[in-house]
Amino acid sequence: MPRRRVAITGMGVICALGRNRQELWDALSSGRPAIGPIESVDIEDLRFRNGAQVRGYDPAAHFDDNRSALLDRFAQFALIAAREAVQDSGVQLTPELRENTAVITGSSMGGQSSQDAGFVDLYRLDRHRVHPLTIPRTMANAGASHISMELGVVGPTYTVSTACSSSNHSLGQAFRMVRDGEVEMAIAGGSEAPFSLGILKAWEAMRVISSDTCRPFCKDRRGMILGEGGAMFVLEPWEAARARGARIRGEIVGFGMSADAYHLTQPAVDGPIRSIRAALRDAELSPQEIGYINAHGTGTSGNDACEANAIRTVFGRHADSLPVSSTKSMHGHALGGAGALEAAATVLALQEGLLPPTANFTTLDPECDLDVIQNQARKLRVEYALSSSFAFGGLNAVLVFRAPAA
Amino acid sequence: MSDPLFDEVIGILAEAKRRPPDTISPDSSLVELGFDSLDVITTVFELESKFKISISDDHVRTLRTVRDVVEGVRTLIDEKTAHA
């Protein structure tokens, strides 16, 4: 079967920047970060204080009590984003389409907050037992399963867990299944909710969390800021989307993957280079045709310099005028959900002709010699953009997006 | 003159990299001894437990040599003692 064009017809988001697509865009386009003191966890004993949390979140606004009991926060975010995405797409889920739709989600940690709470009961409170819903709440595929059940989607449904590349891998898999004709629609993205004490202490011990804020590519960057949330997309064959008169928000046109085979946590430059090149090859584009990069840009000393090196190597002189930003400076690093949030930022940027900035920007690190969009969004209409994820474990996944046809 | 703290810290570093303590000197660089970023945070974790101190992330980023590690630990122990 010939390759089909893949349209993005629906998008749903919930994260620290907003509880829906519009709120996300309002914050991104004005360069307004959502980083602040962590609220839901007692941080007295933590070395860091700040995170990017969904403020004022009330599960009861989205789920009845019976349903909430089954859903860890990460799965709630997956479901809320999927609902918005499907509604946004306007698609009618017929029985036939339900059989030919995939649900692919990404999550790095799954519902470990639920597990953490269960272990508090067991080890600290000496209750000798753990809540019976701990396993179904914790499993990393809970988001995908709940989306499938709520929508009655019975096609290929699974979850990808590749640390911080999870969502890019899930979106890339979904893109290829639609492109290759394996399914007629996909609901894909990812979510994460890592704000529980046990998880935060584990991140503290990694010593990669900033004590103040996240300032990717800056000389004085001090690390990442954890975030939470989820984003989901509806992908359809472009022709089918056109035929039903759907509004097309953009396209996914390429996907590239690679592994560093080097170190569990230290970044390498070779793997990212190969994944970017693989994505360009898949999209049949030359480096010069890329007009914006939504970078992995964690704000750690290791990642940003290495990523800048990879971009320089692939794009050469074009990198002098190739706008790059890391929106993690605003929505934090949502780990397995990060790629989905950044895909949302990238698709909206292409659609609106406005490239979101790297917030909290101070002074460019000479080792990150790129055209970083600093603090204020840049008005620029571009046709193609990259969104990169380079995960712990050396697993890299890069997506190429195209603006909707004018 | 023997310095018990040096000996203790070198013992922990030697254990971490599975090498004889006498191959480690105060001026040895951590990189030369084969410490990567995970080795450093794991060893700092051991040192914090052993000496009941807390080493800040910023401090960890400045550690280059064995002497840096020992003197850093010594300062934190002294501060803890002064506040006791």
Side-chain angles (χ1 to χ4, degrees):
Chain A
M1 181 183 255
R3 288 179 162 195
R4 305 188 294 185
R5 285 172 73 175
V6 178
I8 299 166
T9 57
M11 183 195 301
V13 184
I14 179 164
C15 70
L17 291 176
R19 275 167 275 182
N20 54 51
R21 208 172 45 248
Q22 188 59 50
E23 287 183 16
L24 171 76
W25 182 243
D26 289 346
L28 282 173
S29 57
S30 54
R32 193 172 65 233
I35 293 168
I38 294 169
E39 284 176 349
S40 61
V41 178
D42 181 2
I43 54 171
E44 183 64 32
D45 190 31
L46 267 183
R47 276 206 188 91
F48 57 90
R49 291 279 172 274
N50 293 330
Q53 291 185 285
V54 181
R55 309 271 165 192
Y57 174 68
D58 178 15
H62 304 275
F63 309 100
D64 64 33
D65 287 348
N66 289 338
R67 198 79 194 285
S68 276
L70 289 166
L71 290 156
D72 181 88
R73 191 171 166 107
F74 99 99
Q76 295 181 17
F77 291 157
L79 204 41
I80 290 167
R83 286 173 180 171
E84 188 189 7
V86 171
Q87 188 184 35
D88 182 44
S89 75
V91 75
Q92 291 302 312
L93 281 165
T94 62
E96 190 186 350
L97 187 54
R98 285 189 168 100
E99 279 191 32
N100 287 293
T101 293
V103 178
I104 309 177
T105 63
S107 177
S108 173
M109 316 200 76
Q112 284 188 25
S113 296
S114 292
Q115 180 171 287
D116 199 30
F119 289 172
V120 168
D121 285 350
L122 189 64
Y123 299 131
R124 183 188 278 182
L125 303 177
D126 207 18
R127 288 190 177 142
H128 299 282
R129 56 188 204 154
V130 168
H131 194 279
L133 295 179
T134 304
I135 295 294
R137 284 170 62 101
T138 301
M139 59 193 195
N141 61 301
S145 297
H146 281 284
I147 293 168
S148 142
M149 286 187 287
E150 180 164 307
L151 299 175
V153 169
V154 293
T157 296
Y158 62 95
T159 294
V160 182
S161 190
T162 48
C164 308
S165 290
S166 303
S167 284
N168 268 19
H169 275 124
S170 74
L171 282 164
Q173 292 289 311
F175 156 64
R176 288 199 174 153
M177 287 176 87
V178 174
R179 184 176 70 177
D180 297 344
E182 196 171 338
V183 292
E184 290 306 312
M185 189 174 116
I187 299 162
S191 71
E192 204 78 80
F195 288 94
S196 79
L197 187 59
I199 298 171
L200 297 180
K201 290 301 282 185
W203 278 103
E204 174 190 78
M206 289 294 304
R207 296 182 182 272
V208 290
I209 309 292
S210 169
S211 54
D212 53 0
T213 193
C214 173
R215 37 178 65 100
F217 306 117
C218 291
K219 213 170 173 177
D220 57 348
R221 66 187 181 278
R222 300 177 72 168
M224 55 192 249
I225 287 288
L226 286 169
E228 66 175 356
M232 294 289 162
F233 300 82
V234 173
L235 308 182
E236 295 179 70
W238 191 82
E239 294 289 350
R242 289 278 295 197
R244 73 174 179 86
R247 183 207 32 241
I248 294 174
R249 291 193 172 276
E251 294 176 54
I252 302 183
V253 295
F255 174 48
M257 299 179 267
S258 73
D260 295 346
Y262 169 63
H263 192 276
L264 270 178
T265 56
Q266 275 175 223
V269 73
D270 178 58
I273 289 171
R274 282 185 293 106
S275 62
I276 295 171
R277 286 188 172 145
L280 292 173
R281 215 166 33 243
D282 192 45
E284 298 178 347
L285 292 174
S286 69
Q288 287 69 30
E289 289 176 277
I290 299 299
Y292 166 62
I293 297 179
N294 188 304
H296 186 55
T298 56
T300 61
S301 60
N303 173 82
D304 294 3
C306 188
E307 184 171 7
N309 186 349
I311 291 170
R312 270 283 160 194
T313 305
V314 174
F315 294 93
R317 292 296 303 273
H318 180 51
D320 289 341
S321 56
L322 171 56
V324 175
S325 66
S326 168
T327 49
K328 285 189 178 76
S329 58
M330 291 182 268
H331 52 64
H333 191 345
L335 309 174
L341 297 182
E342 287 150 29
T346 306
V347 171
L348 290 167
L350 291 176
Q351 205 179 348
E352 301 292 333
L354 188 67
L355 308 178
T358 301
N360 315 312
F361 204 90
T362 51
T363 310
L364 185 71
D365 181 349
E367 283 196 68
C368 305
D369 178 26
L370 300 170
D371 177 15
V372 179
I373 306 167
Q374 303 177 10
N375 294 320
Q376 286 191 330
R378 191 180 297 177
K379 204 169 172 50
L380 189 65
R381 210 158 266 291
V382 303
E383 187 170 9
Y384 296 104
L386 284 187
S387 180
S388 305
S389 291
F390 307 128
F392 274 178
L395 309 184
N396 312 300
V398 177
L399 293 162
V400 188
F401 295 93
R402 184 181 189 181
Chain B
M1 194 178 76
S2 151
D3 179 339
L5 186 61
F6 252 111
D7 293 343
E8 268 192 285
V9 171
I10 283 177
I12 290 170
L13 297 175
E15 175 70 23
K17 294 310 290 180
R18 305 274 189 276
R19 59 190 296 156
D22 59 8
T23 64
I24 300 177
S25 74
D27 293 319
S28 302
S29 95
L30 296 174
V31 171
E32 282 165 12
L33 294 172
F35 280 81
D36 68 11
S37 55
L38 284 185
D39 295 325
V40 169
I41 60 173
T42 307
T43 305
V44 166
F45 183 75
E46 296 294 333
L47 292 167
E48 288 182 325
S49 300
K50 169 90 180 166
F51 298 106
K52 298 189 171 41
I53 53 174
S54 175
I55 306 176
S56 73
D57 293 352
D58 285 343
H59 191 164
V60 172
R61 279 192 273 273
T62 67
L63 302 176
R64 298 285 178 274
T65 64
V66 173
R67 192 185 306 280
D68 293 340
V69 178
V70 176
E71 294 312 326
V73 169
R74 195 190 312 279
T75 304
L76 289 166
I77 292 172
D78 289 349
E79 282 174 10
K80 191 179 68 166
T81 311
H83 288 102

